[in-house]
């Protein structure tokens, strides 16, 4: 069994389930083979924006209250919630979160070659839309700084139990653009490498995406635990990344974990964080 979340910390045994004080869970060992999945997140709302809607707000950038619930105060709920709270309160996590809270995040914006995403009425649909938008990159025409503003525009606050409010809206940005804070490499190039890739005319494109609700997350829901964010879900995503330099393409398979939830700037899905990047 291995940790597959960014903030490693606690372990809590509940029957055969083990959760870690990461941003969501300690998942079972080895990469789950991602496949097309028709399983709906049982906590997902039944009413969401249509799939043709854009993630670019028509009335400007105004924070929207997330779709939340107050879970029943059952023994299972208490045990999981206390486990998360204990993990996030670990000294290493507190140091990491304080560092992140000092960051000056850009204002939300979708510009400089980055695109507004189509909203989705399912967590797996949103994960697919987000990963496509994130990994289809023309480095010469899309800047890394504009990516930061795009991530802020597409993020969802992390409402897991025990996450301080000052850190809630930073997990996506930090997980992708500040790997030094979390102590794990990002799937994205550094600023220097981005500049070199732009000079080389490098382009990324993604295809063959497969999305599946992470089985351990499903197990936690099945056990009777409920996240406060009604839209919260953790998705396994895999696909093929094609890297083109000039006219020469090369491809590699990749997998990653995407946590989704209520968006910050619209009444729809947003992305909470990205982790566990693997390629072959």
């Amino acid at each position: 069994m291995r940790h597959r979340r960014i903030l490693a910390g606690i372990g809590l045994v509940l029957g055969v389930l083990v959760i870690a004080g990461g941003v969501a869970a300690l998942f079972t060992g080895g990469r789950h083979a991602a496949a097309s999945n028709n399983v709906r997140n049982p906590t997902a709302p039944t009413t969401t924006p249509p799939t043709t809607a854009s993630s670019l707000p028509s009335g400007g950038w105004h924070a929207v209250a997330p779709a939340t619930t107050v879970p029943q105060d059952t023994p299972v709920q208490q045990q999981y919630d206390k486990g998360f709270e204990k993990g996030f309160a670990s000294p290493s996590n507190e140091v990491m979160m304080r560092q992140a809270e000092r960051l000056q995040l850009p204002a939300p914006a979708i510009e400089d070659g980055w695109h507004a995403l189509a909203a989705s009425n399912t967590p797996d649909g949103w994960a697919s839309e987000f990963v496509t938008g994130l990994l289809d990159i023309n480095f010469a025409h899309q800047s890394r700084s504009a990516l930061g503003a795009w991530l802020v525009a597409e993020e969802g606050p992390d409402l897991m139990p025990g996450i301080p409010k000052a850190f809630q809206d930073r997990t996506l940005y930090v997980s992708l653009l500040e790997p030094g804070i979390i102590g794990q490499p990002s799937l994205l190039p550094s600023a220097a490498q981005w500049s070199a890739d732009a000079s080389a005319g490098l382009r990324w494109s993604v295809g063959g995406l497969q999305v599946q609700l992470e089985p351990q997350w499903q197990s936690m829901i099945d056990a009777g635990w409920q996240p406060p964010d009604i839209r919260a879900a953790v998705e396994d995503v895999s696909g093929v990344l094609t890297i083109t330099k000039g006219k020469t393409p090369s491809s590699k398979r990749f997998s990653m974990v995407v946590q989704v939830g209520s968006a910050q700037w619209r009444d729809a899905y947003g992305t909470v964080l990205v982790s566990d990047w693997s390629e072959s």
Side-chain angles (χ1 to χ4, degrees):
M1 185 171 289
R2 64 188 179 92
H3 292 270
R4 292 178 48 201
R5 301 312 309 229
I6 287 175
L7 311 178
I10 64 164
L12 171 65
V13 178
L14 180 61
V16 297
L17 300 178
V18 182
I19 30 180
V23 176
L26 172 64
F27 297 100
T28 54
R31 164 60 60 178
H32 297 285
S36 296
N37 180 27
N38 294 322
V39 176
R40 295 290 299 276
N41 178 10
T43 63
T46 57
T47 302
T48 55
T51 57
T52 55
S54 170
S55 65
L56 184 63
S58 59
W61 300 99
H62 304 288
V64 174
T68 59
T69 187
V70 178
Q72 291 186 347
D73 193 26
T74 64
V76 169
Q77 189 74 33
Q78 292 179 22
Q79 195 168 9
Y80 274 82
D81 286 354
K82 289 178 182 178
F84 286 123
E85 291 165 2
K86 180 180 178 181
F88 290 126
S90 71
S92 60
N93 282 343
E94 287 189 342
V95 168
M96 184 279 299
M97 288 187 281
R98 283 197 297 269
Q99 289 179 317
E101 288 165 11
R102 290 195 290 267
L103 290 174
Q104 186 66 43
L105 267 59
I110 298 177
E111 57 190 8
D112 197 20
W114 296 92
H115 304 290
L117 303 180
S120 174
N121 58 4
T122 62
D124 53 325
W126 172 255
S128 178
E129 183 72 16
F130 176 79
V131 170
T132 299
L134 176 67
L135 295 182
D136 278 346
I137 306 174
N138 185 329
F139 289 93
H141 297 284
Q142 292 170 266
S143 71
R144 197 173 187 272
S145 60
L147 169 59
W150 183 84
L151 291 173
V152 173
E154 302 295 355
E155 67 93 16
D158 192 337
L159 303 181
M160 293 295 290
I163 292 286
K165 186 173 180 59
F167 182 71
Q168 287 177 351
D169 63 350
R170 293 167 182 265
T171 55
L172 179 62
Y173 186 95
V174 171
S175 71
L176 288 170
L177 293 183
E178 293 291 341
I181 291 179
I182 62 175
Q184 290 190 9
S186 170
L187 61 94
L188 296 170
S190 65
Q193 186 60 52
W194 193 291
S195 179
D197 291 344
S199 298
L202 210 68
R203 301 186 306 279
W204 283 7
S205 61
V206 65
L209 282 182
Q210 296 179 304
V211 182
Q212 176 179 325
L213 190 65
E214 173 27 72
Q216 187 72 3
W217 176 269
Q218 181 71 66
S219 296
M220 288 166 35
I221 301 298
D222 292 343
W225 176 77
Q226 185 175 11
D229 185 347
I230 293 174
R231 293 188 175 99
V234 178
E235 304 284 348
D236 270 339
V237 182
S238 66
V240 177
L241 182 67
T242 299
I243 303 169
T244 304
K245 184 176 182 181
K247 295 183 179 180
T248 305
S250 61
S251 297
K252 57 186 176 183
R253 294 203 60 81
F254 71 88
S255 59
M256 62 203 303
V257 171
V258 179
Q259 182 178 338
V260 305
S262 292
Q264 177 85 308
W265 307 104
R266 59 191 180 276
D267 185 19
Y269 282 94
T271 304
V272 176
L273 63 81
V274 173
S275 69
D276 200 41
W277 172 264
S278 177
E279 59 186 57
S280 59

